[in-house]
Amino acid sequence: MARVTDFSAEAKDALFAAGWTPGRRVDIADWCARLTESGVAVHDSAKAFLAEFGKISIEFSGKGISRAREAFSIDPSLCLGEEGRFFEWGQLIGKIIVPVGELDEGRSFLGIDEDGAIYLVVDWLGKFGSGCAGIESLVLGVAPETIYDSYPKS
């Protein structure tokens, strides 16, 4: 569970404005059922993250710390149909990456692994950080660490 002190003042303000509060819990049963039906193994880290940050949308743009700030939404239903992409990237890094939302109005997807690391999932793979640090990076416009700059050719 995230604490207010886990975030900078700027990130905290943005999260509060989007409806987040410490200890917040949303019902994730429908998301988990839909992901499971589509073949995704929803691990405990994803469940905890979605219960706390699910349905949070931050709608802004502009200059960030090391990349532009982009709107994002924590809602795994926005990733339905893309499960194979998450599975394949997860296979490459030896992790289970569960879809959790989208970035930049669906141009990119967000996922989380069993250790709580938040990923940018597109035709390349980046990592924003784990848990609160990952959320902070999304809010403040911190570029993800590149894990793979393109999908490896077989």
Side-chain angles (χ1 to χ4, degrees), residues 57-61 69-73 102-106:
S57 290
I58 301 216
E59 304 294 330
F60 55 50
S61 61
R69 294 179 191 213
E70 298 169 307
F72 67 90
S73 295
E102 69 177 18
L103 177 69
D104 194 21
E105 300 175 353

Side-chain angles (χ1 to χ4, degrees), residues 114-138:
E114 58 271 29
D115 298 322
I118 299 171
Y119 293 89
L120 172 71
V121 178
V122 282
D123 56 351
W124 62 282
L125 186 68
K127 186 162 89 173
F128 283 107
S130 291
C132 295
I135 290 287
E136 178 104 0
S137 293
L138 282 165

Side-chain angles (χ1 to χ4, degrees), residues 31-43 46-47 50 76 79-87 96-100 111-112:
W31 287 333
C32 290
R34 291 173 72 188
L35 288 167
T36 301
E37 286 171 13
S38 64
V40 176
V42 184
H43 47 65
K47 290 176 184 174
L50 289 170
C79 306
L80 291 174
E82 297 293 333
E83 298 85 359
R85 180 188 307 249
F86 289 86
F87 178 78
I96 297 170
I97 302 176
V98 174
V100 294
I112 191 167

Side-chain angles (χ1 to χ4, degrees), residues 4-83:
V4 171
T5 56
D6 292 335
F7 299 107
S8 66
E10 188 175 359
K12 182 174 50 181
D13 289 346
L15 288 166
F16 280 155
W20 177 81
T21 57
R24 176 179 182 272
R25 291 287 173 253
V26 297
D27 183 8
I28 62 169
D30 184 55
W31 287 333
C32 290
R34 291 173 72 188
L35 288 167
T36 301
E37 286 171 13
S38 64
V40 176
V42 184
H43 47 65
D44 289 342
S45 181
K47 290 176 184 174
F49 178 81
L50 289 170
E52 185 166 4
F53 294 101
K55 300 181 182 176
I56 293 290
S57 290
I58 301 216
E59 304 294 330
F60 55 50
S61 61
K63 187 174 177 357
I65 293 174
S66 55
R67 69 170 180 88
R69 294 179 191 213
E70 298 169 307
F72 67 90
S73 295
I74 306 301
D75 178 346
S77 65
L78 299 170
C79 306
L80 291 174
E82 297 293 333
E83 298 85 359

